[in-house]
Amino acid sequence: QVRVVESGGVVVQPGTSLRLSCAATGFTFSSHVMHWVRQAPGRRPEWVAAISPDGNNDDYAESVRGRFTISRDNSKNTVFLQMHSLRPEDSGVYFCARDQLQIWLCVGLLDSWGPGTLVTVSS
Amino acid sequence: EIVLTQSPATLSLSPGERATLSCRASQTVSSYLAWYQQKPGQAPRLLIYDASNRATGIPARFSGSGSGTDFTLTISSLEPEDFAVYYCQQRNYAPTFGGGTKVEIK
């Protein structure tokens, strides 16, 4: 059974840093593209970042490029999101999602999602 | 950025009725269009991918159609568990989501 579970969401002040983790089980983690997607209350989901199966390629939404870094540890079946210079508009539930694809092309077929972890950026 | 516009914003229907949801892209996304269902407090769930393919375990009452810029999700006969918010999402470019259609009980 495919399962991904996020952790690390907390309340932080603007300008600070935070690292989210996502642990995956039930599938060959090292074969799949992985994503982070966030959603503010009452808003549409917003794709944040993606990483290739081998970790050598990544991509980011313009709203987070240069501030966020996605990485993965295939030996631990875990994907991370390092967030710097956090802003109030970064607040929301952060979801980790598996891509059905195993190649780095037209990524974004999100077939399994975690329950999410809440990040609140507020002074 | 590809902008996806969904209509209507809200659809008020009764169980057993047919639901037709629309998604229009600001430029072609080929067939790289998916539909997700989201219930309160839950993550989105993949229903349809590549415009017309049902995801694993999705009932046959859900169907998708379209290509290019205009897409449709149809629920042939609404079940009580189908009342939720539905989002379209494209992956021809950096992924983006539509604003959602809420299917509510009339």
Side-chain angles (χ1 to χ4, degrees):
Chain A
Q1 178 186 1
V2 174
R3 189 163 184 245
V4 295
V5 179
E6 307 88 344
S7 61
V10 291
V11 179
V12 295
Q13 292 194 335
T16 60
S17 299
L18 186 64
R19 189 175 87 153
L20 304 181
S21 300
C22 168
T25 57
F27 64 100
T28 306
F29 178 77
S30 59
S31 293
H32 286 264
V33 176
M34 296 296 294
H35 299 259
W36 288 96
V37 177
R38 68 185 180 185
Q39 188 173 30
R43 304 291 299 273
R44 72 185 73 185
E46 178 189 16
W47 173 78
V48 173
I51 188 166
S52 61
D54 61 7
N56 289 336
N57 295 283
D58 55 23
D59 197 13
Y60 300 90
E62 284 302 319
S63 58
V64 306
R65 192 182 300 273
R67 298 188 300 123
F68 290 13
T69 301
I70 188 171
S71 62
R72 65 192 296 161
D73 183 342
N74 285 345
S75 69
K76 296 182 178 179
N77 290 355
T78 303
V79 60
F80 304 97
L81 186 68
Q82 179 68 55
M83 304 184 289
H84 296 293
S85 304
L86 283 162
R87 306 166 180 168
E89 56 265 35
D90 294 318
S91 298
V93 176
Y94 281 70
F95 297 102
C96 172
R98 185 186 83 160
D99 200 310
Q100 185 170 297
L101 299 178
Q102 301 184 20
I103 58 172
W104 188 247
L105 182 66
C106 292
V107 298
L109 206 173
L110 308 174
D111 69 349
S112 296
W113 297 58
T117 188
L118 179 63
V119 173
T120 303
V121 184
S122 173
S123 54
Chain B
E1 175 180 307
I2 302 294
V3 176
L4 299 178
T5 303
Q6 292 187 239
S7 61
T10 304
L11 202 49
S12 299
L13 295 168
S14 300
E17 289 194 294
R18 182 184 188 89
T20 304
L21 288 67
S22 175
C23 177
R24 175 164 289 178
S26 59
Q27 61 190 84
T28 183
V29 298
S30 185
S31 293
Y32 294 133
L33 194 287
W35 291 92
Y36 297 82
Q37 177 193 69
Q38 188 176 34
K39 296 180 180 179
Q42 297 183 15
R45 177 175 72 139
L46 179 66
L47 299 175
I48 300 288
Y49 66 94
D50 294 352
S52 60
N53 298 287
R54 272 190 304 279
T56 302
I58 301 304
R61 64 180 181 273
F62 291 92
S63 63
S65 63
S67 66
T69 60
D70 290 291
F71 300 87
T72 300
L73 173 70
T74 301
I75 310 171
S76 59
S77 177
L78 283 164
E79 296 288 338
E81 62 267 27
D82 298 337
F83 292 92
V85 178
Y86 293 82
Y87 293 100
C88 59
Q89 175 244 324
Q90 64 79 25
R91 62 181 180 94
N92 197 40
Y93 303 89
T96 53
F97 290 81
T101 290
K102 181 180 181 180
V103 179
E104 64 176 24
I105 299 176
K106 185 174 181 180

